[in-house]
Amino acid sequence: MKILALTGGIGSGKSTVAEIFRVLGIPVFDADSAAKELYETSSALHQGLVTLFGEGIFDENNKLNTKQLASIVFNNPVRLTKLNALVHPAVIEYFGEWKQIHKNYPLIVHETALLYEAGLDKISDYVAVVTANDSLRIERVCRNKGWNPEQVRERIRRQLPEDILKLKADFIINNEGHTALLPQVTELIKKLSE
Amino acid sequence: MDFKLKWAKARRLFRKTYYLLFSNKNKEFYVFLLFLGLSVLFWFLQSTQAVSQSELSIPLKYGKLPEHIIVTNELPRSIKVTIRDKGSHLYNYFTRRRKLGLELDLLRWREEDGISRIPLEQLKPAIFAKLKPSAQILRISPDSLILYFVEKEQKDLPVKLNAHIGLSQQYMLVEEPSVLPAFVTAYAPASILDTLRQIETEALDLPVLKDSISLNVKLKAIEGVHFSQTTVKVHLPVEEFTEIRYEIPVHGLDFPDNLLLRSFPSKVTVSFLVSRSNYQAVKAEDFRLGISYQDLIKSKEDLQSIQLIKIPEYVRRLSLHPDKVECLIEKK
């Protein structure tokens, strides 16, 4: 089994590329969705979050208050590091379980924005990065999430620069809008199947 | 006490007035005024006997035309006649100038081609008949009348609103400006009617509209053409607009039962402007986007344009992001 890590900055179009993999029959692990699921289901993660940020981080229905969590860690690198140290190992462990379920597939993909930050690169055989220029990424995020351009720029500044992601990656998927994604993804799958 | 004060004031005022009128010093002034008045009177009497000239506005009336004939151009309601005569006569003409009015029988001047030019010199005998024998007519203005006779040639023409409409930020026209009536009947010689395709309104400049507005707008006059009405009612429905965005799935259109469309992305952002009155009514379900199977199998492009299958008619400035998607056809 080959493990392909799919990464890219905010607004690069990772999710669209991941959707193509899914449609083409390749299982995709979504690290963001997995983390959200673990917040609700993992008692260890729940306890760790309460210890770090207090009982108020969960609402009366025991649901994580993501807005409050974001406001706590935003612009506070120490708190963010503590949160990541709690969440990333839990996600990696969850990915291990998920991988076991899909062990009969020749290729699996895990999609994450924080590949290197979460250490998921160490458990991947290949890395593919989805790229798009900054102005296009800003436009996409503003449109889809209703953020303002400065918020998106701030998020881009906090992520690894695209040039570094490209240098580290084995495959580059261009999602600038003028190059079709499907041929790029099918070509990538073909190469990994050889 | 109060009455005594008032009485004293009245007596003082009376004494002052008496002094002003009958003191020796002021008597000379009033004598001067009397003689000045007399001299003005003599001057006036003399000037009424002197010969002078003056311009009079003489009203015109037009006799009825037979029902099948109309004059399509605007005719003057009066003419200006410069008359030379004794001052007293000129004064007399001026005071009873309405009685000098003329009634013209237009049919008298009708030419075969429908266009007649009447030199107003021809009206001199009729004007003289109403003046004293001593009068001279020096000038008549305008010097001629032009008449466009039409034998009930008519054409219904669309009215084109000639307007520059500016809207305040966030404000838009809810629908196209309405013009009532949308068609106006034009009467003119066939040669002119044949050249007309529409009737324009006079220019209307509305730089910063923030509210709906209704107003009467004049039609632009065309030489020789008579319209069934000279104004139209224009209504501009203006409302504040706000932007809405929805994520709408892309559907396969007319796909065979055993095939399925997979588009990437599977949903696109539809952004549009909607008026306040429709803000609550609009729903994501009101929009339907799709890719036609026939278009897809014929296409040689990697990216397919998305078709708008259903959109509410009241939305404005609709855009899709992205407006093209990649597609796969999947067997069920």
Side-chain angles (χ1 to χ4, degrees):
Chain A
M1 176 201 276
K2 288 174 183 168
I3 302 171
L4 173 72
L6 181 66
T7 192
I10 186 167
S12 59
K14 289 185 299 298
S15 302
T16 303
V17 176
E19 184 60 25
I20 295 176
F21 276 108
R22 278 193 197 97
V23 168
L24 296 174
I26 292 155
V28 179
F29 178 83
D30 177 354
D32 280 354
S33 303
K36 280 175 193 158
E37 197 183 323
L38 287 170
Y39 287 139
E40 312 291 332
T41 56
S42 164
S43 56
L45 192 56
H46 184 282
Q47 190 53 49
L49 286 170
V50 170
T51 310
L52 273 178
F53 307 116
E55 287 282 353
I57 202 73
F58 287 94
D59 65 15
E60 61 272 18
N61 299 319
N62 220 19
K63 290 233 170 197
L64 180 71
N65 190 335
T66 48
K67 278 190 180 169
Q68 194 182 338
L69 181 64
S71 69
I72 289 170
V73 299
F74 190 75
N75 278 338
N76 191 326
V78 177
R79 284 180 182 161
L80 183 63
T81 308
K82 283 181 180 174
L83 175 70
N84 287 340
L86 196 65
V87 176
H88 291 158
V91 172
I92 290 173
E93 192 185 329
Y94 189 43
F95 174 68
E97 293 167 17
W98 182 88
K99 193 173 80 172
Q100 273 305 111
I101 297 167
H102 298 90
K103 63 182 178 191
N104 294 328
Y105 286 86
L107 174 66
I108 59 170
V109 174
H110 65 82
E111 175 204 351
T112 176
L114 305 171
L115 178 71
Y116 300 103
E117 296 89 330
L120 280 161
D121 58 315
K122 295 184 184 77
I123 55 164
S124 311
D125 300 313
Y126 303 95
V127 173
V129 61
V130 185
T131 65
N133 64 57
D134 281 3
S135 59
L136 191 59
R137 291 165 62 190
I138 291 167
E139 188 197 318
R140 282 177 188 156
V141 180
C142 289
R143 201 171 52 235
N144 296 337
K145 297 192 175 182
W147 294 11
N148 67 50
E150 197 40 52
Q151 281 176 298
V152 188
R153 280 191 204 100
E154 181 58 31
R155 183 60 71 91
I156 288 173
R157 275 195 288 273
R158 283 162 183 272
Q159 293 181 336
L160 273 181
E162 202 169 78
D163 290 342
I164 293 178
L165 289 178
K166 279 183 186 174
L167 279 174
K168 286 175 170 254
D170 302 296
F171 303 100
I172 294 169
I173 298 170
N174 181 338
N175 187 21
E176 303 251 330
H178 46 75
T179 314
L181 289 172
L182 263 168
Q184 295 182 75
V185 174
T186 48
E187 181 64 26
L188 196 160
I189 294 168
K190 200 173 147 193
K191 278 184 184 169
L192 291 175
S193 307
E194 283 167 1
Chain B
M1 185 69 179
D2 197 34
F3 171 76
K4 277 185 179 175
L5 268 175
K6 280 184 182 170
W7 176 243
K9 265 189 186 174
R11 282 171 62 115
R12 270 202 302 277
L13 185 67
F14 177 75
R15 267 203 301 275
K16 274 186 185 172
T17 313
Y18 184 85
Y19 173 78
L20 187 72
L21 292 175
F22 299 106
S23 72
N24 285 336
K25 204 166 147 189
N26 288 339
K27 258 184 198 167
E28 288 172 14
F29 175 67
Y30 289 114
V31 169
F32 167 76
L33 276 185
L34 175 71
F35 282 99
L36 181 67
L38 281 172
S39 59
V40 168
L41 181 68
F42 287 133
W43 171 81
F44 180 73
L45 286 174
Q46 196 186 6
S47 69
T48 56
Q49 294 309 307
V51 173
S52 173
Q53 66 182 58
S54 178
E55 188 181 78
L56 285 178
S57 179
I58 295 180
L60 290 183
K61 280 185 183 172
Y62 301 97
K64 248 192 158 185
L65 291 167
E67 278 200 350
H68 66 287
I69 296 173
I70 53 166
V71 172
T72 58
N73 57 317
E74 194 75 25
L75 295 173
R77 291 185 177 186
S78 64
I79 51 172
K80 287 189 172 149
V81 181
T82 308
I83 299 169
R84 186 177 168 81
D85 205 342
K86 278 183 182 175
S88 57
H89 291 170
L90 288 174
Y91 178 74
N92 192 262
Y93 301 147
F94 179 76
T95 53
R96 58 180 196 91
R97 59 191 179 283
R98 287 192 179 192
K99 289 183 181 169
L100 298 178
L102 302 173
E103 181 160 341
L104 306 183
D105 178 11
L106 297 177
L107 221 51
R108 233 182 83 197
W109 288 293
R110 189 179 167 215
E111 300 288 343
E112 268 185 21
D113 65 354
I115 302 170
S116 308
R117 186 177 174 279
I118 310 166
L120 290 188
E121 284 284 315
Q122 292 185 18
L123 298 183
K124 268 187 177 176
I127 300 170
F128 272 129
K130 301 198 173 198
L131 304 177
K132 304 275 183 195
S134 57
Q136 282 178 272
I137 293 176
L138 302 178
R139 190 168 62 245
I140 300 175
S141 173
D143 62 352
S144 59
L145 286 183
I146 298 192
L147 306 172
Y148 291 86
F149 288 96
V150 170
E151 272 193 40
K152 284 246 169 168
E153 286 279 351
Q154 65 182 66
K155 191 176 183 181
D156 289 340
L157 292 166
V159 179
K160 188 197 168 207
L161 177 63
N162 177 15
H164 166 253
I165 301 163
L167 294 152
S168 292
Q169 211 174 359
Q170 292 281 109
Y171 286 81
M172 288 182 73
L173 284 169
V174 183
E175 54 192 52
E176 288 300 304
S178 67
V179 178
L180 280 175
F183 284 80
V184 164
T185 308
Y187 301 92
S191 58
I192 297 178
L193 275 187
D194 288 347
T195 64
L196 298 179
R197 297 285 171 271
Q198 61 186 22
I199 303 166
E200 274 191 43
T201 65
E202 284 190 351
L204 185 64
D205 192 22
L206 302 163
V208 275
L209 276 185
K210 263 182 118 170
D211 216 339
S212 296
I213 186 172
S214 290
L215 61 174
N216 288 317
V217 184
K218 278 187 180 173
L219 295 173
K220 207 185 266 183
I222 303 170
E223 180 78 33
V225 183
H226 172 79
F227 298 129
S228 56
Q229 56 191 93
T230 53
T231 61
V232 286
K233 192 166 188 175
V234 173
H235 178 66
L236 301 155
V238 175
E239 267 194 67
E240 194 176 356
F241 274 66
T242 189
E243 191 186 51
I244 295 182
R245 287 173 184 167
Y246 289 132
E247 291 281 306
I248 306 292
V250 181
H251 294 279
L253 305 173
D254 307 320
F255 269 58
D257 290 343
N258 61 331
L259 298 178
L260 187 71
L261 172 77
R262 293 284 190 182
S263 76
F264 305 102
S266 56
K267 289 181 178 181
V268 297
T269 307
V270 177
S271 60
F272 55 89
L273 296 177
V274 66
S275 68
R276 278 201 161 190
S277 58
N278 290 313
Y279 183 79
Q280 298 291 341
V282 68
K283 299 184 295 292
E285 298 78 62
D286 297 336
F287 298 82
R288 192 170 162 83
L289 310 175
I291 302 275
S292 147
Y293 177 73
Q294 289 302 326
D295 290 348
L296 187 56
I297 56 171
K298 284 177 198 159
S299 173
K300 288 172 183 166
E301 304 294 324
D302 290 331
L303 296 166
Q304 305 304 318
S305 294
I306 301 167
Q307 293 177 34
L308 293 164
I309 309 303
K310 188 177 86 166
I311 52 165
E313 60 180 20
Y314 49 78
V315 303
R316 297 281 181 278
R317 293 192 195 163
L318 183 138
S319 60
L320 302 177
H321 304 279
D323 59 352
K324 288 180 177 179
V325 289
E326 290 179 58
C327 299
L328 272 183
I329 298 171
E330 189 178 281
K331 275 190 182 172
K332 280 184 184 171

